[in-house]
Amino acid sequence: GTWLSSWRHARAKFGEAGGNARMLAYAVAPLVWASIIARRCGGGKRAVAAFYVQGLLSACLLELVNFTEHYGLTRDKLPDGSYEPVNPTHSWNSSHRLSNAFLFNLQRHSDHHTFAMRPYHLLRSFKESPTLPTGYPGMITLACVPPLFRWVMDPLVKAAKVKPENYKDGKDFAKDQQWIEAEVTAKRKITFLSTAVFVLSTWALVRSERAFQTRQHV
């Protein structure tokens, strides 16, 4: 979907011939580059295949991250047909210290979009930003199971879209009761799912160990 959308955008910007030429060049260049390196290193076709597999996995991870960062959030359309400027309410944030340390503050995403030139180590959390019930690693894993992801996130999206009357660029901001309740409920759902995964994983490991011991004694 993203690739086709990019192709349509290129054709609209550079014309049909120019857009097609650019996109074909973008498609062929990595193949040529990977083939040259594979030949020099003696990797052959397997190296080229590995290059494309890791590229596919990287693209999927990128799309999962983007999906999680902006799920359900939109900018209001103004009377003149344009859209409101980006502000801290247009991205999901997470203030978990451990995952923020590993991801170079990527989870402080609202600040990154609102102030694009701010260095990553200075990114801030805003109290008016919608907050994920857990860190990006957990949410990205959950996004791989869309029904569960929607079960956790849809009530949060509904609450986040209702901007309180006291929202004025974050000044004197306080989340309303619906928002607070949605966050508490989402965290409870995450706790339930985490416990269920732990219990099922433990049960599977115990069964596997018992089956292995049984085979050893036969």
Side-chain angles (χ1 to χ4, degrees):
T2 303
W3 172 256
L4 293 177
S5 177
S6 299
W7 199 301
R8 287 193 296 268
H9 179 74
R11 292 178 64 174
K13 185 175 182 179
F14 302 106
E16 184 172 347
N20 289 341
R22 282 174 176 267
M23 294 305 293
L24 287 172
Y26 296 152
V28 172
L31 176 61
V32 173
W33 178 77
S35 299
I36 292 173
I37 293 179
R39 184 175 179 83
R40 294 282 295 177
C41 297
K45 294 180 180 179
R46 289 186 177 181
V48 176
F51 170 80
Y52 275 95
V53 168
Q54 66 83 28
L56 177 62
L57 292 175
S58 299
C60 290
L61 178 59
L62 175 64
E63 293 302 325
L64 280 171
V65 171
N66 282 333
F67 176 76
T68 301
E69 289 170 338
H70 302 283
Y71 177 74
L73 301 178
T74 58
R75 289 189 290 159
D76 294 336
K77 194 170 186 177
L78 303 177
D80 62 0
S82 63
Y83 289 86
E84 64 175 323
V86 174
N87 65 55
T89 67
H90 295 138
S91 303
W92 292 99
N93 273 18
S94 177
S95 296
H96 290 256
R97 291 183 178 179
L98 182 60
S99 48
N100 262 324
F102 279 109
L103 297 173
F104 300 101
N105 284 337
L106 176 65
Q107 298 175 139
R108 294 176 177 175
H109 206 60
S110 296
D111 199 14
H112 162 67
H113 274 289
T114 309
F115 304 98
M117 300 305 295
R118 185 178 294 278
Y120 74 89
H121 61 284
L122 297 178
L123 293 176
R124 303 160 297 176
S125 293
F126 295 97
K127 55 186 177 182
E128 66 267 30
S129 298
T131 305
L132 292 168
T134 189
Y136 277 15
M139 294 307 302
I140 291 169
T141 303
L142 189 61
C144 295
V145 189
L148 291 179
F149 186 87
R150 290 192 294 267
W151 177 59
V152 172
M153 289 299 298
D154 283 358
L156 278 172
V157 171
K158 184 178 179 180
K161 284 186 174 181
V162 180
K163 290 185 179 179
E165 295 180 357
N166 62 348
Y167 175 72
K168 294 181 180 179
D169 297 326
K171 295 178 181 178
D172 301 322
F173 176 84
K175 295 180 179 180
D176 62 13
Q177 190 61 31
Q178 180 186 5
W179 197 335
I180 294 172
E181 290 177 358
E183 287 185 340
V184 171
T185 301
K187 288 180 180 180
R188 288 174 179 171
K189 290 177 179 178
I190 288 293
T191 300
F192 168 77
L193 291 173
S194 301
T195 303
V197 169
F198 174 77
V199 171
L200 290 173
S201 300
T202 303
W203 175 78
L205 286 171
V206 169
R207 282 202 61 173
S208 177
E209 179 65 22
R210 288 177 178 175
F212 175 76
Q213 290 178 356
T214 301
R215 287 194 300 269
Q216 290 291 98
H217 288 88
V218 172

